[in-house]
Amino acid sequence: MIGSTAEAAGKTIEVAMAMSVPGTYTYGVPEVLASAVAAGMRVLVSFGRRRATGYVLGPASPPEGKEIKPILDVMDDAPLFPASMIPLFRWAADYYKHPLGAVIQTALPGGLTVAESSTWRITDAGRDCLTEGGLAADEARVLGLLSRKPLRVLSIPAIPGAVLATLQRRGYILRTRTLRAGGTKALQERWVRLPSMAPVDGSLSPKKQALLDAVAAAGELPVRALAAQTPNARPHLRALERSGHLETFARRLYRDPFGEAILPDTAPVLTADQDAVVSTVCAALGKGFRTFLLKGVTGSGKTEVYLRVASQAMASGQSVVVLVPEIALITQTERRFRARFGEHVAVLHSGLSAGERFDQWTRILRREVRIAIGVRSAVFAPFSDLGVIIVDEEHDASYKQEGGLHYSARDLAVVRAQQSGAVALLGSATPSLQSYYNVRSGKYTELVLPERMEARSLPEVRTVDLRQCRDLRGPGRFVSAELNRAIAATLDRGEQALLFLNRRGYANFPVCAACGEALRCRHCNISLTLHQAENAYRCHYCGFSLPASAACSACGSKQIKRLGMGTEKVEAAIRALFPAARVARMDRDTTRRRGDILRLLKGLREKTTDILIGTQMVTQGHDFPGITLVGVICADLSLSFPDFRSGERTFQLLSQVAGRAGRGDRPGQVILQTYNPGHFSIRAACAQDFNAFYEPEIGFRKALGYPPVTRMIQLRLSGRHERFTREQAEALGTQCRALQAADPGWVQALQLLGPIEAPLARIAGHYRWQILVKSLQAAALHRFVDRLLAVYPHGFARNRVKLVIDVDPLYLM
């Protein structure tokens, strides 16, 4: 251990722990480490009885009357994030009710946290006692487990701590603590160069002289490159180094996440509408915070607007963050930006390895690149000179993180722009009600691209009433005669078709023909889905599976009717109807491996795919010039969800997928199959008319008091014990109402709904309850929840019931 409490008295720092603990902590810095500590670095500290990683936030005032522990070590040579990002981390922790250290840990690349783990080992005395017998059942079980191999504490299930303490006191088991370093490290590569004072030696072999000549010509070269050019070069290089003719040194090597090289592009001539939008946004750069909502129809050239704005920001010495909602969109966006800006682009997303993500983070931090492209976590890209942050497809629900830090990357992007004095540019053909409500409220400035590029027309949309097909058998139930004819005509013309169904698998409602019972997941309140390629029924929530030959759990019958459909069933039907067509499927099942998405997109681009069948992954952002027909198999799936946003999601999905048609030289058409042709969401999507959807929908939200008119926080409890979870939910509800009643202001400002079982009442063996707190006043809502957390022991049964606070929830299922 470095330093002591006395040595730490000169300098104190504020530290956030890399774990889910509230607040921050004050530590002292020994004099020997004082010059090595800066905000944004990791330090190793004593925390309770263990050593752990903390993040330095800056200087702190020492608390009076308390002993201050010194830090044990400084773990970085340079900060991992700029100090300018600390206010963003603090804001996110406060707003989303999440520990500050865990917020920072979420932002950073994975594999960087050093933690201490405890391991139990059996002693010789313990082995003797186990052989002799006479132990209690729990004691014998522990010694039996440890006699096979040492185990970490968490690997010994359902054993009371008192048993372990007793065995340790008797000398039968031994506890050791070790530090586990993260697996992410920088790569170093060996390079060679001529020394400043090289020996004069004319007796070198021709091969050694050739190596020296190559290094002299280049100045310095990686050993890897020389070894590739010259057979058996490495022994000669080592000999030249020993003789003083060469010197070696290490240089940071970045892992390449990009793959194939991209040819530079030429910026096209802007349309008048694009030019007006670019001029407006660029005029705002460098003049403080401002948020724009770019509402552009599909195919109107929003990406070119982003490229021009990014170019202007870079010319002004500023950096750019570009967010896209799905990894599937990264490739297309990355290619466009790399073609325009070359090596100035970095990417950040979960599809990268931990090492690749760390390298990309480092390039940004060192200002080696000026543009970062990624999914939601890229909102934390460590730029200190942000000029503009672009959120493409801003309406997409994928920007909301479900699990851990429940943040909205879109909303956090606006906050980061505000704190950085930057411009936030949100773009979509179907804006979220939240963003468009902010336009109407004067918070955002609306920009419009009303027409497609090159005066291309929007696709013609025709509606097919599926109620007319309900008595048909076979594929005719979901591939109407009109859609069938349209696909055939499209193939005859040598064009491509896209079929959309937002449900994967083969059959999503297997039901027993004998007793009528659905084949359900054992751990969730949901029916299983048949995946024919895997020959298994699967749960899409917890992963539970049964073989396709499984019998009914209620009556034992094997007569299972496979009702419902998914993309796999549609694919089988299309292959049978059009055997000569080249068919591909794009959903989560076909894009699990790295490179799968790129392969599918390449097939469309190179016209080796005739028909693409897909889920939500294909609906937005992609540019498929060869697709002239879009068929929506069933437009009503998302309308049936018990969620106030179901109409909004339906309109957005249908409008976006319709926009994939006719983006090339030939006109497009959309055939939209639905059981509800009169629903206003579907009518507005057919007309590609956002305002026709917005006006009635916002009226419903105002009447019912739902976002964006109000703000909402969801309190969600889950536990494995049904009765105990219900009791704790009811107790929390009682405390909420008591708090509200105690303050007349909260009685007027807040509305409490629940506690009530969640629509999906059990997932992965956990019973789920929820309480919704709504208010027109965001400040009152947050004060109420902060007060609730202060007075209610939300850690009352940490091992039995978990409380999750979801601010601005998107999913209420």
Side-chain angles (χ1 to χ4, degrees):
M1 181 181 294
I2 300 174
S4 65
T5 302
E7 292 173 323
K11 180 179 180 180
T12 53
I13 55 173
E14 183 183 14
V15 175
M17 302 306 302
M19 58 182 71
S20 290
V21 292
T24 59
Y25 300 83
T26 301
Y27 282 88
V29 181
E31 185 176 351
V32 68
L33 296 176
S35 62
V37 177
M41 289 182 173
R42 294 173 300 162
V43 289
L44 187 67
V45 299
S46 294
F47 190 77
R49 297 182 179 180
R50 54 180 165 163
R51 294 167 292 175
T53 300
Y55 306 111
V56 179
L57 303 178
S61 300
E64 295 184 6
K66 290 186 178 180
E67 181 182 0
I68 302 174
K69 295 180 180 179
I71 63 171
L72 306 177
D73 201 358
V74 180
M75 301 164 63
D76 300 304
D77 296 327
L80 283 176
F81 52 86
S84 59
M85 290 187 65
I86 294 175
L88 180 71
F89 296 146
R90 292 188 190 274
W91 186 94
D94 178 65
Y95 187 81
Y96 291 110
K97 316 304 177 191
H98 201 70
L100 177 56
V103 170
I104 300 174
Q105 192 173 21
T106 299
L108 294 176
L112 297 177
T113 302
V114 174
E116 189 172 65
S117 63
S118 296
T119 303
W120 290 106
R121 301 175 185 273
I122 189 171
T123 63
D124 291 340
R127 292 185 186 278
D128 294 341
C129 186
L130 182 63
T131 302
E132 294 167 2
L135 294 164
D138 281 345
E139 295 174 342
R141 181 170 171 233
V142 170
L143 293 181
L145 289 170
L146 295 180
S147 67
R148 293 192 285 271
K149 63 177 182 180
L151 293 173
R152 293 181 58 195
V153 174
L154 296 177
S155 302
I156 306 178
I159 296 295
V163 173
L164 297 173
T166 298
L167 292 173
Q168 184 182 27
R169 187 171 61 252
R170 294 175 182 171
Y172 296 160
I173 61 176
L174 179 67
R175 185 176 189 174
T176 58
R177 300 176 185 270
T178 56
L179 282 177
R180 292 182 294 108
T184 303
K185 297 178 181 178
L187 291 183
Q188 300 288 333
E189 185 178 35
R190 286 180 65 233
W191 283 57
V192 292
R193 62 191 171 202
L194 300 180
S196 56
M197 297 293 291
V200 179
D201 189 348
S203 61
L204 294 176
S205 68
K207 183 172 285 189
K208 289 180 181 179
Q209 188 61 52
L211 288 172
L212 281 181
D213 292 343
V215 175
E220 51 190 36
L221 281 172
V223 171
R224 171 174 47 86
L226 285 169
Q229 295 172 6
T230 307
N232 301 316
R234 293 183 188 274
H236 297 294
L237 291 173
R238 287 195 291 268
L240 288 170
E241 183 183 6
R242 286 195 299 270
S243 64
H245 288 86
L246 286 177
E247 65 180 18
T248 64
F249 61 98
R251 178 172 289 176
R252 177 72 181 269
L253 176 65
Y254 291 128
R255 287 153 276 218
D256 182 14
F258 293 115
E260 62 182 33
I262 304 295
L263 295 176
D265 75 346
T266 301
V269 177
L270 297 178
T271 66
D273 291 326
Q274 285 178 311
D275 187 59
V277 169
V278 170
S279 297
T280 301
V281 178
C282 289
L285 293 175
K287 297 179 181 177
F289 166 64
R290 195 168 175 187
T291 302
F292 295 97
L293 176 65
L294 174 57
K295 183 157 68 79
V297 298
T298 55
S300 59
K302 292 186 290 294
T303 303
E304 185 59 35
V305 170
Y306 304 153
L307 290 164
R308 297 299 180 94
V309 171
S311 178
Q312 182 61 43
M314 291 176 62
S316 303
Q318 299 172 313
S319 299
V320 181
V321 171
V322 182
L323 301 183
V324 295
E326 298 272 6
I327 292 179
L329 290 175
I330 286 284
T331 300
Q332 177 175 286
T333 306
E334 168 223 307
R335 290 175 67 90
R336 293 286 301 273
F337 273 79
R338 285 176 62 207
R340 189 69 55 87
F341 302 110
E343 298 302 316
H344 293 287
V345 177
V347 291
L348 290 172
H349 58 81
S350 60
L352 304 178
S353 68
E356 288 171 340
R357 184 175 170 84
F358 178 59
D359 286 350
Q360 294 294 295
W361 180 275
T362 304
R363 292 178 69 213
I364 297 169
L365 194 61
R366 292 181 173 182
R367 298 170 62 92
E368 296 174 12
V369 297
R370 306 310 299 271
I371 300 175
I373 302 172
V375 291
R376 56 178 173 258
S377 61
V379 73
F380 297 111
F383 288 122
S384 57
D385 54 356
L386 188 65
V388 60
I389 184 163
I390 297 167
V391 185
D392 191 27
E393 308 293 356
E394 65 83 26
H395 67 276
D396 197 284
S398 299
Y399 283 123
K400 181 63 186 284
Q401 169 74 26
E402 296 295 323
L405 172 62
H406 289 254
Y407 70 99
S408 165
R410 179 201 63 204
D411 297 346
L412 205 55
V414 175
V415 172
R416 184 170 186 189
Q418 183 181 37
Q419 293 182 347
S420 304
V423 167
L425 176 58
L426 317 181
S428 176
T430 55
S432 63
L433 257 71
Q434 178 71 56
S435 294
Y436 203 69
Y437 187 75
N438 286 336
V439 167
R440 293 288 184 91
S441 304
K443 294 180 180 179
Y444 296 173
T445 300
E446 182 181 12
L447 303 171
V448 180
L449 292 176
E451 296 180 353
R452 282 187 160 185
M453 297 283 291
E454 300 177 3
R456 298 186 184 113
S457 60
L458 289 170
E460 174 196 0
V461 182
R462 301 201 303 275
T463 301
V464 174
D465 190 343
L466 283 177
R467 291 174 295 185
Q468 308 302 318
C469 306
R470 63 176 54 172
D471 295 328
L472 299 177
R473 293 183 175 275
R477 289 177 61 91
F478 55 88
V479 180
S480 64
E482 186 170 354
L483 179 57
N484 194 323
R485 289 192 297 269
I487 296 173
T490 300
L491 296 178
D492 289 342
R493 294 191 301 268
E495 298 166 0
Q496 295 171 302
L498 169 64
L499 302 181
F500 167 70
L501 178 67
N502 202 27
R503 185 170 286 163
R504 60 192 175 102
Y506 189 86
N508 67 303
F509 190 62
V511 63
C512 178
C515 70
E517 185 70 21
L519 208 62
R520 294 186 176 275
C521 175
R522 293 178 186 171
H523 311 297
C524 308
N525 285 0
I526 195 165
S527 60
L528 297 172
T529 296
L530 174 67
H531 288 256
Q532 198 166 55
E534 302 174 18
N535 201 31
Y537 294 102
R538 292 199 175 279
C539 174
H540 290 172
Y541 284 87
C542 73
F544 172 77
S545 65
L546 290 173
S549 59
C552 173
S553 60
C555 70
S557 172
K558 291 200 172 184
Q559 300 179 38
I560 306 297
K561 299 188 70 173
R562 295 166 175 179
L563 306 179
M565 61 179 170
T567 48
E568 200 176 13
K569 179 179 281 189
V570 174
E571 180 188 15
I574 293 300
R575 289 186 183 277
L577 291 171
F578 304 98
R582 296 165 295 183
V583 181
R585 176 163 51 93
M586 187 174 180
D587 56 26
R588 193 177 300 176
D589 297 324
T590 62
T591 57
R592 289 175 178 169
R593 294 176 302 179
R594 186 169 181 173
D596 284 341
I597 293 174
L598 186 61
R599 173 180 53 81
L600 289 166
L601 297 179
K602 186 176 181 181
L604 281 173
R605 190 169 62 247
E606 297 181 353
K607 301 288 184 70
T608 59
T609 297
D610 299 317
I611 303 173
L612 178 66
I613 300 161
T615 57
Q616 184 175 343
M617 296 176 72
V618 304
T619 62
Q620 56 200 15
H622 295 295
D623 189 14
F624 307 134
I627 290 179
T628 57
L629 171 67
V630 167
V632 179
I633 301 299
C634 184
D636 312 302
L637 296 182
S638 55
L639 273 178
S640 60
F641 286 176
D643 191 318
F644 70 90
R645 288 190 176 92
S646 60
E648 181 179 2
R649 292 197 183 105
T650 299
F651 169 77
Q652 290 166 344
L653 276 173
L654 299 181
S655 298
Q656 291 285 344
V657 74
R660 299 314 106 197
R663 297 170 73 98
D665 298 330
R666 301 179 184 181
Q669 61 173 323
V670 179
I671 294 180
L672 193 153
Q673 302 182 152
T674 174
Y675 289 99
N676 295 282
H679 195 282
F680 77 95
S681 296
I682 292 176
R683 291 202 312 270
C686 290
Q688 298 277 287
D689 188 342
F690 175 79
N691 289 331
F693 165 75
Y694 177 83
E695 296 300 342
E697 180 69 15
I698 200 67
F700 296 147
R701 302 284 182 93
K702 289 179 179 178
L704 297 173
Y706 278 110
V709 180
T710 61
R711 306 298 286 272
M712 182 187 296
I713 293 179
Q714 181 189 51
L715 308 175
R716 187 167 64 243
L717 295 98
S718 62
R720 291 191 174 276
H721 193 283
E722 183 177 11
R723 180 183 61 82
F724 191 74
T725 305
R726 184 188 70 248
E727 289 174 351
Q728 296 302 332
E730 291 170 349
L732 181 60
T734 299
Q735 182 65 56
C736 286
R737 299 190 187 283
L739 266 182
Q740 183 189 29
D743 189 320
W746 282 341
V747 172
Q748 296 295 322
L750 302 177
Q751 182 182 3
L752 297 175
L753 302 176
I756 191 172
E757 274 190 308
L760 291 175
R762 187 169 65 116
I763 292 181
H766 287 78
Y767 295 89
R768 306 165 72 245
W769 285 70
Q770 61 186 20
I771 299 171
L772 295 180
V773 190
K774 298 196 299 182
S775 178
L776 291 169
Q777 306 169 22
L781 183 64
H782 281 261
R783 282 198 305 270
F784 176 80
V785 173
D786 288 340
R787 179 62 179 159
L788 176 68
L789 296 179
V791 302
Y792 191 76
H794 56 283
F796 55 95
R798 189 166 295 171
N799 296 326
R800 301 179 69 182
V801 174
K802 180 181 180 181
L803 173 64
V804 171
I805 300 169
D806 192 354
V807 180
D808 303 329
L810 275 186
Y811 298 101
L812 303 180
M813 298 290 289

